[in-house]
Every structure is written in structure tokens, then in C-alpha cells.
């Protein structure tokens, strides 16, 4: 029986661990935290992420928890349209999913061949010719045919195998929250929850999780919002952070103020936006009978401006699972690098271009951004959407 060690029990690690187990592998899943639990926020999945989950045999679970996310357009803080809402073809429409619902679906897909160990902080990795790859936490060493590094942006495995790739700040921070329906504001009939608003270094995006008053697609329905602001994360407690957000976004068009007013400090999740520069030179490191691969944010952490972080992690998992079914293990490690590195580089490049547009500051920069956004943003977003819609797992 082939064996794997997956390091990191985030959504990418859970997805690949379950996929390997369903293919007959014996999997050890290592998580540094004492408990495996997601943030109480949500995630947007574009068609490539949805297709990857279906390739991982998780499509039925996704259908039960996902809410379609139509195009809501882009506005300025004064309410004027920068980009009008446009019809979205069904095959290019993203969906929004509560992270706790997604986490539950991934946990349900693990099966009996996955042994989950929490409180394990991996400190060393061995990936040398002639020896089985392994990782260790200073007390115990875990050997396997394959090691999957899904241990996030601060991956210790990547730091040792790809030291050229450094974690750097993207120059902004994000705040996320899900307002449950019983606290969500009731908006006028002509006001939509969805869409985004762009200001001088500030961005606000909102989406509905299911529908008010019904069981909906998500068992944890409500309104999801994410606010992004240039600068470092705030050290103050959530109550003060929420006060600052209400001040920064004061006067912005409906539903921005209403959503912030309905948010409880306990709903708020702050995140520093960081990325890898440069990307690792390799995502696959052959060793012994198999090797080590990088997956998810460990391989390609990027700003969230195109919503592709989770989608690429699921692409990674689906690609790896497919290659391992069709190829010898050492060959699969090499093929994984060959397929995933160019794909990640393309999406990261698109994301950085959008980041430069979204983070424009200063009067002249904003005038240029507003004048060009109607052409630039749709072109970038359409390119990303087309790339997402065309992706297929290897057969």
C-alpha cells in the first residue's frame, strides 16, 4: 500500500488527503494547531475551483452548500458606476460557500484511511536521492512514499526546499465577516447585496449566502463581506477595528454602512495580506520512491484580488490525484511541477496586475484608475475568468 504524509489540514490539505485515501493510499495528516477548524467566514470559488472539486468527487457536497454569485458591478465611494453589472454565462459564474460548510464537506470526504494528528509542528524535511522522503517535528519522524506540503504561506517545508522564495507583505490588510440572517439589514428592493466598491486604497465586496428566511444552499446563511485597506494590520481589539472600519467607509453607498453597522465584533476576522516573491523554482522534489510536492499557499500564496487562492489549491489537489492514478510516483512528482508551476505563475501575474489597479492612491492615480477601470478591470477579470473556465484536470 502506498503511503503519504500531508502537512497542513487547511482546505488544500484536507482535499488532497481525502483524494489520496479514496484512491487506496494510507494517509497521515499532520496539523500544527491543536484543533482543526476554519475561520467563520466564506470563500468564493470560480469555475476552475468548482471543476477541481468535482474531479475530486466532492461535487455533490458542494452543490448542497454553494450559492451562485452573479456579477454585481463596481462602484466608486460616491455611488457612481465604474463598471456596470453584466450578465454572466453559467459556466463562468462563481459561487460563494461558508468556510465552515466547506470544511465539513472536506472532513466528511476523508474516510477511514486518513489518520489525523494535531499539535504537530513540522520542523525538518528530508528529500534526498535514495532515501524515503520524511518530515519531523523534533520528537518523531514521519516517512512515506510521498510528502505533500500544504502547510500554508509560512510553510517550513518550502522554506527548506525552496529558500529563494520569501514571504513579503502585499501592503494591505483584509477584514472579513459573515452576518447571520437574523442580524442582517433589510435593504430596499432595488438595492443589491452583491458587487464591490473601490476607493483610494480601499475596497469593499459583499455577497449573499443563501436567501433570507429559507434553508438556502448554505446551512450557515447570511451576508458575507470583505473589506481591504492599504497598510498594515491593526493591533487594536476587534471592537476598535470595527469602529475604524465604520469611519473609513463612512458615506459609502448602500449596503456598505448598513453591513458594517450590523456586524458584531465577534464576527470580525482580520488578515494580513502576504505573498511569495519570487515563486518557488520547483513544486516537485523527487526523493527515494517518490518525493515532496508543494500545494496551495505553500506553493503560490498571493493577494486575494482575483479570488483564486482556494481555487488553485483545489486545482493542485485534483492534478496531483490524477497524476498519481496514471503515472509512476517519481514521474508524477516531476509532472506535477511541470503542470502546476506555469499555471500558478499565470494566475499570480494576473493577480499582481489587478493589485496595482485596486491599490491606486493619490488624486492623479485615482483619476487615471477611474478613467481606465472600465476597460482595464473587465479585461483583466475576463482574462482570469476565461483562464479559470478553460482549466481541466489532466486525464
Amino acid at each position: 500500500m502506498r503511503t503519504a504524509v500531508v502537512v497542513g489540514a487547511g482546505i488544500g490539505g484536507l482535499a488532497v488527503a481525502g483524494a489520496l485515501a479514496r484512491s487506496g493510499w494510507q494517509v497521515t495528516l499532520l496539523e500544527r494547531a491543536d484543533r482543526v477548524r476554519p475561520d467563520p467566514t466564506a470563500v468564493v470559488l470560480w469555475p476552475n475551483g468548482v471543476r477541481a472539486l468535482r474531479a475530486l468527487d466532492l461535487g455533490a457536497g458542494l452543490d448542497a452548500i454553494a450559492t451562485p454569485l452573479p456579477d454585481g458591478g463596481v462602484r466608486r465611494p460616491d455611488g457612481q458606476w465604474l463598471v456596470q453589472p453584466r450578465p454572466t454565462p453559467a459556466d463562468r459564474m462563481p459561487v460563494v460557500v461558508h468556510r465552515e460548510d466547506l470544511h465539513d464537506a472536506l472532513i466528511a470526504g476523508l474516510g477511514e484511511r486518513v489518520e489525523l494528528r494535531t499539535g504537530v509542528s513540522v520542523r525538518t524535511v528530508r528529500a534526498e536521492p535514495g532515501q524515503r522522503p520524511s518530515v519531523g517535528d523534533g520528537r518523531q519522524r514521519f516517512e512515506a512514499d510521498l510528502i505533500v506540503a500544504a502547510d500554508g504561506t509560512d510553510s517550513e517545508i518550502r522554506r527548506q526546499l525552496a529558500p529563494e522564495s520569501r514571504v513579503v507583505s502585499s501592503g494591505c490588510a483584509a477584514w472579513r465577516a459573515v452576518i447571520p440572517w437574523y442580524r442582517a439589514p433589510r435593504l430596499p428592493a432595488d438595492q443589491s447585496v452583491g458587487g464591490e466598491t473601490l476607493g483610494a486604497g480601499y475596497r469593499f465586496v459583499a455577497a449573499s449566502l443563501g436567501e433570507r428566511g429559507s434553508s438556502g444552499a448554505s446551512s450557515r446563511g447570511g451576508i458575507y463581506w470583505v473589506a481591504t485597506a492599504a497598510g498594515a494590520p491593526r493591533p487594536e481589539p476587534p471592537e476598535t477595528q470595527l469602529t475604524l472600519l465604520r469611519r473609513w467607509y463612512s458615506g459609502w453607498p448602500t449596503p456598505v454602512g448598513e453591513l458594517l453597522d450590523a456586524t458584531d465584533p465577534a464576527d470580525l476576522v482580520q488578515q494580513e495580506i502576504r505573498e511569495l516573491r519570487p515563486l518557488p523554482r520547483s513544486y516537485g522534489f523527487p526523493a527515494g520512491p517518490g518525493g515532496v510536492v508543494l500545494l496551495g499557499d505553500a506553493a503560490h500564496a498571493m493577494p486575494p484580488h482575483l479570488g483564486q487562492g482556494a481555487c488553485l489549491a483545489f486545482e493542485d489537489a485534483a492534478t496531483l490525484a490524477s497524476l498519481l492514478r496514471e503515472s509512476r510516483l517519481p514521474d508524477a512528482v516531476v509532472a506535477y511541477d511541470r503542470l502546476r508551476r506555469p499555471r500558478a505563475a499565470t494566475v499570480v501575474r494576473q493577480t499582481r496586475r489587478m493589485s496595482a489597479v485596486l491599490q491606486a492612491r493619490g488624486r492623479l492615480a485615482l483619476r487615471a484608475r477611474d478613467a481606465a477601470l472600465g476597460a482595464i478591470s473587465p479585461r483583466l477579470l475576463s482574462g482570469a475568468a476565461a483562464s479559470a473556465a478553460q482549466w481541466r484536470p489532466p486525464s
Side-chain angles (χ1 to χ4, degrees):
M1 179 183 296
R2 294 188 292 182
T3 60
V5 171
V6 177
V7 183
I11 57 176
L14 291 172
V16 74
L20 293 176
R22 289 190 293 276
S23 297
W25 288 63
Q26 186 65 43
V27 181
T28 301
L29 178 58
L30 306 179
E31 168 58 36
R32 68 168 66 96
D34 292 330
R35 295 177 59 190
V36 178
R37 58 182 177 183
D39 291 330
T41 59
V43 60
V44 173
L45 297 177
W46 291 82
N48 54 317
V50 173
R51 189 171 292 116
L53 285 173
R54 297 195 187 286
L56 293 166
D57 295 327
L58 295 169
L62 178 65
D63 291 339
I65 59 177
T67 302
L69 184 60
D71 188 338
V74 184
R75 292 181 294 176
R76 300 193 320 192
D78 62 7
Q80 294 186 27
W81 288 108
L82 287 170
V83 182
Q84 292 273 359
R86 295 164 298 166
T88 304
D91 65 340
R92 293 193 180 184
M93 184 176 293
V95 298
V96 59
V97 185
H98 200 290
R99 280 188 176 269
E100 292 177 344
D101 287 334
L102 181 59
H103 176 267
D104 290 348
L106 294 172
I107 288 289
L110 289 180
E112 297 180 354
R113 292 181 181 270
V114 177
E115 178 188 6
L116 173 60
R117 298 193 183 188
T118 58
V120 179
S121 296
V122 169
R123 299 178 181 177
T124 61
V125 57
R126 184 180 69 200
E128 301 172 359
Q131 297 189 61
R132 296 184 80 206
S134 67
V135 293
D137 65 351
R139 297 171 298 177
Q140 184 176 1
R141 181 159 293 279
F142 301 88
E143 287 189 352
D145 300 317
L146 176 69
I147 306 291
V148 180
D151 47 345
T153 304
D154 294 311
S155 169
E156 180 62 25
I157 296 176
R158 184 201 62 245
R159 190 187 69 81
Q160 295 185 34
L161 296 183
E164 73 281 356
S165 187
R166 303 293 182 89
V167 180
V168 300
S169 172
S170 299
C172 58
W175 290 262
R176 294 177 170 85
V178 171
I179 307 170
W181 281 124
Y182 72 87
R183 278 199 279 112
R186 293 186 177 274
L187 303 175
D190 61 343
Q191 292 288 343
S192 170
V193 169
E196 66 179 276
T197 309
L198 291 178
Y202 296 88
R203 184 190 194 194
F204 194 96
V205 182
S208 291
L209 287 164
E211 297 182 2
R212 189 192 302 268
S214 72
S215 56
S218 171
S219 63
R220 298 176 174 93
I223 298 178
Y224 167 59
W225 63 260
V226 54
T228 308
R234 304 296 303 196
E236 299 90 349
E239 293 82 1
T240 306
Q241 294 178 30
L242 191 54
T243 298
L244 288 171
L245 289 170
R246 289 167 178 163
R247 182 188 308 162
W248 293 342
Y249 293 92
S250 176
W252 283 40
T254 302
V256 176
E258 291 83 352
L259 294 179
L260 290 173
D261 287 341
T263 301
D264 188 275
D267 302 330
L268 203 60
V269 176
Q270 181 184 212
Q271 176 190 9
E272 180 184 13
I273 305 302
R274 299 178 299 157
E275 59 189 283
L276 294 180
R277 285 183 180 263
L279 293 178
R281 293 175 184 160
S282 179
Y283 288 167
F285 304 86
V292 180
V293 298
L294 305 181
L295 183 145
D297 283 347
H300 39 64
M302 70 188 80
H305 305 311
L306 291 179
Q308 283 293 321
C311 295
L312 283 190
F314 291 140
E315 282 188 24
D316 292 344
T319 300
L320 182 60
S322 177
L323 291 172
L324 290 171
R325 287 193 298 267
E326 302 297 330
S327 307
R328 295 176 59 251
L329 185 48
D331 297 334
V333 171
V334 174
Y336 175 82
D337 172 62
R338 186 180 67 249
L339 291 174
R340 296 310 300 158
R341 202 153 38 89
R343 167 67 172 165
T346 297
V347 176
V348 167
R349 184 168 57 251
Q350 292 171 329
T351 299
R352 288 174 180 167
R353 291 176 62 197
M354 181 58 73
S355 181
V357 172
L358 296 178
Q359 295 187 45
R361 304 182 74 180
R363 184 176 300 175
L364 293 178
L366 282 173
R367 285 180 179 175
R369 193 275 310 277
D370 288 357
L373 189 64
I376 293 174
S377 181
R379 201 162 58 235
L380 282 176
L381 291 172
S382 295
S387 176
Q390 293 168 2
W391 180 85
R392 295 290 189 280
S395 57

